[in-house]
Amino acid sequence: MRSYSLIAPAKINLYLEIIGDRSDGYHELAMVLQSISLADQIDIQPIGIDTIIVRCDHAEVPNDHTNLAYRAAALLTKQFPEAMAQFGGVEINIKKNIPIAAGLAGGSTDAAAVLVGLDLMWQLGLTQSELEVLGAQIGSDVPFCIQGGTALATGRGEELSPLKNLDNLYVVLAKYRNLGISTIWAYQTYRQQFSQTYISQAQDLETRQHRVHSGPMVSAIMHADGSAIGKLLHNDLEKVALPEHPQVLELREAFESQGVLGTMMSGSGPTVFALTESEAEALRVLEAVKTQIANPELDFWTAKFVSTGIRLAQS
Ligand code: ATP
């Protein structure tokens, strides 16, 4: 049985609107998600014994059953015990390039890669939508990470409508190395401060749909209008994260001062990204903001928008 190497891209949120509470305890969301070329590499190899081993080259990523990649393998083992019995267990090696607890879905994309890789290795023959349904059991971002590209995500983020691929935009990302924002904290704090604006579960679908303001962003994407996309970036979670973390606001302002298409915190943060129309412009902005803030704790990356989710690495 052969080994598989997979590329697992990070995502950014071009749009994140919190619509209201759901009866399952999650929030009802309207998001526009975008895959970028910053990616982890996941190597999966058969080991012959009935166990799952996870290794990661990043000291802060757990190697035990709490790793989302492990959880993905465990879920498939539970669903398809005969596959584990026939083919044996696996060793999963994660080469981590995506910063952790960064709002870039790093753990979710690793889990997505394990679902796709094990489906191939164990010859399960699952369709993409079957993989996405399994992925949603691990985390709301996992289905998007499998599918990738540009998509409108509703429900708790797992109901996806693909949008026109945007492959002409570039992004600069920056994150303070020792600053992590817990996703749970961000949503709980938002609920405490803004739940009076929520649409309740009981209100009808039409009211809920009228509340969603993502239409102009979707239209800008359909026209591949980078300048409009930049102006329409939106993330409700900035309302709780920026007052709590002034250095994230400072970073956002530094990007803004460079005349980028637009800048925003991704997901629950604390990564801030800025959009540009070329790689050269992305590199210029990176150097300018690095000089402006001059903090050795601040890490930068540049990446390109990509139109694929999990894919096999070229060997
Ligand atoms: P999201 O954008 O989906 O909220 P995130 O990018 O903010 O995710 P992750 O990088 O997925 O956050 O990590 C969140 C926590 O999950 C980490 O602190 C880490 O302990 C744990 N974790 C479990 N598995 C992984 C993994 N494969 N990679 C990174 N972190 C993982």
Side-chain angles (χ1 to χ4, degrees):
M1 211 184 353
R2 55 167 286 196
S3 302
Y4 287 88
S5 283
L6 300 112
I7 303 298
K11 64 87 186 147
I12 54 172
N13 297 76
L14 300 178
Y15 188 89
L16 191 163
E17 182 180 357
I18 301 175
I19 310 290
D21 273 327
R22 291 161 55 102
S23 52
D24 60 7
Y26 286 92
H27 284 95
E28 182 76 17
L29 302 172
M31 300 192 286
V32 176
L33 302 172
Q34 174 64 52
S35 302
I36 57 172
S37 56
L38 177 65
D40 290 344
Q41 181 171 327
I42 311 295
D43 297 322
I44 306 178
Q45 59 187 68
I47 50 172
I49 48 168
D50 285 2
T51 188
I52 301 162
I53 298 170
V54 174
R55 298 186 204 283
C56 181
D57 58 2
H58 192 301
E60 285 162 46
V61 175
N63 282 340
D64 59 12
H65 66 280
T66 62
N67 192 301
L68 294 183
Y70 183 103
R71 287 187 48 208
L75 177 65
L76 283 188
T77 304
K78 195 167 144 233
Q79 296 279 326
F80 304 99
E82 65 289 352
M84 173 78 117
Q86 185 183 350
F87 297 112
V90 286
E91 180 173 318
I92 299 163
N93 277 286
I94 305 172
K95 289 189 191 127
K96 201 87 201 149
N97 299 313
I98 304 171
I100 66 165
L104 300 174
S108 300
T109 198
D110 295 350
V114 169
L115 292 178
V116 172
L118 277 185
D119 173 56
L120 292 170
M121 184 181 277
W122 286 348
Q123 298 163 25
L124 300 173
L126 298 170
T127 62
Q128 181 167 307
S129 80
E130 286 169 334
L131 286 169
E132 288 174 13
V133 169
L134 286 167
Q137 293 182 42
I138 300 163
S140 307
D141 285 340
V142 178
F144 172 75
C145 292
I146 293 172
Q147 184 176 117
T150 311
L152 180 66
T154 52
R156 57 185 174 91
E158 85 291 13
E159 289 167 23
L160 301 174
S161 308
L163 297 172
K164 182 184 159 106
N165 283 326
L166 292 172
D167 42 19
N168 56 346
L169 289 177
Y170 292 79
V171 60
V172 192
L173 303 120
K175 177 184 178 288
Y176 285 96
R177 205 167 307 138
N178 294 321
L179 176 63
I181 299 182
S182 137
T183 305
I184 294 171
W185 172 84
Y187 279 99
Q188 277 177 354
T189 310
Y190 191 90
R191 180 179 275 128
Q192 278 160 16
Q193 294 181 11
F194 297 101
S195 60
Q196 79 284 356
T197 68
Y198 283 13
I199 297 276
S200 82
Q201 229 358 60
Q203 278 172 288
D204 65 25
L205 192 63
E206 206 181 336
T207 315
R208 294 176 83 80
Q209 279 167 347
H210 281 150
R211 166 66 206 278
V212 177
H213 298 115
S214 57
M217 172 59 91
V218 171
S219 167
I221 289 168
M222 289 314 185
H223 291 94
D225 183 345
S227 158
I229 292 167
K231 289 191 185 80
L232 291 164
L233 295 173
H234 176 84
N235 182 352
D236 273 341
L237 292 174
E238 281 199 338
K239 293 178 203 162
V240 292
L242 298 189
E244 184 76 14
H245 301 286
Q247 67 273 53
V248 178
L249 177 61
E250 180 198 22
L251 189 50
R252 200 184 181 297
E253 288 170 350
F255 277 129
E256 236 159 29
S257 73
Q258 291 303 318
V260 295
L261 296 173
T263 179
M264 185 65 41
M265 185 180 82
S266 183
S268 54
T271 305
V272 175
F273 67 86
L275 302 185
T276 66
E277 259 161 356
S278 70
E279 188 175 16
E281 175 65 356
L283 289 167
R284 183 198 67 76
V285 170
L286 186 159
E287 289 305 329
V289 173
K290 202 180 202 173
T291 309
Q292 209 172 322
I293 296 189
N295 184 329
E297 290 289 303
L298 191 53
D299 290 326
F300 289 89
W301 300 262
T302 59
K304 191 181 187 317
F305 280 25
V306 294
S307 55
T308 51
I310 305 302
R311 60 182 170 81
L312 288 174
Q314 276 153 1
S315 47

